[in-house]
Amino acid sequence: MPASPDASPRSVLVTGCSSGIGHAAAHALAGRGWRVFATARRETDLARLRNAGLEAVALELDDSASIDACVAQVLEATGGRLDALFNNAAYGQPGAVEDLGREVLRAQLETNLLGTHELTCRVLPAMRRQGHGRIVQNSSVLGLAALPYRGAYVCSKFALEGLTDTLRLELSGSGIHVSLIEPGPITSRFRENAYRAFKAHIDTAHSAHADTYRAVEARLAGDDGGGRFTLGAEAVVDKLVHALESSRPRARYYVTLPTHLIGTLRRLLGTRALDRVLLRSTRDERQP
């Protein structure tokens, strides 16, 4: 992406910067000369980001007023410009589909889909005025294929991918490029946060899946050192940099071997054959 006409640093708004991919992305982009607006929900995390030299902005994706205030603060600081948005903030709500109450599913969609959508729509007018912009959505391998006990998260990522593909088509010729990043397992606090959501919202004792949940809970509560296919957050950041800075950003970026494998199998196999592969891959672990 070319530098701003007034030679000011390129600006990017990154969501979910308290840890993991967002934290790594904010620091890496700042190191590359971007003016980074890093968001988080809690004041302790905001203070830590500020102490690290980033411009930290409070953002709660479940709250329209918070989204409006965040965008207003960023645009005021930049004189009404924003070169890029990296929608990274999300969480996973484990549990069997039949155990997901309406409010639990709504909460998952509010953060992972509806808040992300609203934030994206709020920054588009500024990008249209300046005639360029980059929007990068952090999706998941679970935006490509479903796995058991991850239904709420799968639902949110499938929907995000559909909205993003449509947005990319609608913005054709506008100078605003839209990309999806689809990571597999990445080292982060994702499992820790998922375990918290699992304990808060799933009634394991009265579920038809009670036996499976015992294994699920043991894995969620265990050490999240990552499996053999787990990569560090920098693997996502590498793709993000290309999506933001390349003159020809891709529509999709696969990250980790499982994403490449599932993406290939989805193209080659029928639905039932792919189901057998996915069930076999999760039968032993029963991981949400």
Side-chain angles (χ1 to χ4, degrees):
M1 176 186 289
S4 300
D6 59 2
S8 60
R10 295 167 295 182
S11 57
V12 58
L13 174 60
V14 181
T15 69
C17 297
S18 61
S19 65
I21 293 169
H23 188 268
H27 284 277
L29 293 175
R32 296 180 66 86
W34 285 79
R35 184 178 183 184
V36 178
F37 295 91
T39 78
R41 292 183 299 136
R42 290 182 284 269
E43 182 54 43
T44 52
D45 292 324
L46 292 168
R48 183 162 48 85
L49 292 168
R50 292 188 190 102
N51 290 338
L54 298 173
E55 296 183 68
V57 185
L59 175 63
E60 175 54 75
L61 285 172
D62 296 359
D63 183 350
S64 294
S66 177
I67 292 172
D68 287 344
C70 172
V71 173
Q73 182 178 339
V74 171
L75 294 182
E76 182 179 7
T78 63
R81 303 182 61 85
L82 184 65
D83 295 295
L85 168 65
F86 179 37
N87 280 313
N88 165 72
Y91 75 98
Q93 171 63 62
V97 167
E98 64 189 284
D99 292 332
L100 298 173
R102 179 178 292 211
E103 291 303 319
V104 173
L105 188 57
R106 179 180 287 120
Q108 180 80 108
L109 295 174
E110 283 288 352
T111 298
N112 292 13
L113 176 69
L114 301 179
T116 292
H117 168 68
E118 186 174 358
L119 177 61
T120 301
C121 292
R122 285 286 287 111
V123 305
L124 278 173
M127 291 183 176
R128 284 188 179 278
R129 285 193 300 270
Q130 67 202 21
H132 74 269
R134 300 290 171 95
I135 296 170
V136 183
Q137 315 276 44
N138 196 28
S139 181
S140 169
V141 63
L142 296 183
L144 299 176
L147 289 177
Y149 304 102
R150 301 157 169 88
Y153 188 72
V154 167
C155 172
S156 71
K157 293 303 185 180
F158 267 56
L160 178 66
E161 297 235 347
L163 270 180
T164 301
D165 284 340
T166 305
L167 180 64
R168 186 181 64 253
L169 293 171
E170 293 172 350
L171 291 176
S172 177
S174 69
I176 304 170
H177 297 276
V178 182
S179 298
L180 282 157
I181 299 179
E182 295 156 328
I186 297 292
T187 303
S188 71
R189 283 173 21 197
F190 188 87
R191 183 183 294 177
E192 174 188 334
N193 295 330
Y195 185 37
R196 188 179 302 114
F198 178 77
K199 291 193 295 182
H201 299 128
I202 302 300
D203 182 3
T204 60
H206 299 93
S207 171
H209 301 267
D211 290 343
T212 298
Y213 280 154
R214 281 191 282 273
V216 166
E217 189 163 5
R219 183 163 184 84
L220 284 174
D223 178 30
D224 190 13
R228 56 179 172 164
F229 299 123
T230 301
L231 298 179
E234 64 276 2
V236 177
V237 174
D238 288 344
K239 304 298 185 182
L240 173 63
V241 168
H242 189 277
L244 293 180
E245 298 184 359
S246 171
S247 61
R248 292 177 58 85
R250 301 171 194 161
R252 275 179 165 75
Y253 294 86
Y254 286 1
V255 184
T256 74
L257 179 60
T259 303
H260 284 276
L261 179 60
I262 288 178
T264 300
L265 292 177
R266 193 178 67 155
R267 292 193 299 272
L268 297 178
L269 300 181
T271 299
R272 291 189 181 278
L274 181 58
D275 281 354
R276 287 193 293 271
V277 172
L278 297 174
L279 284 169
R280 190 180 307 123
S281 71
T282 58
R283 188 172 289 123
D284 295 335
E285 295 182 351
R286 295 298 187 187
Q287 176 185 338

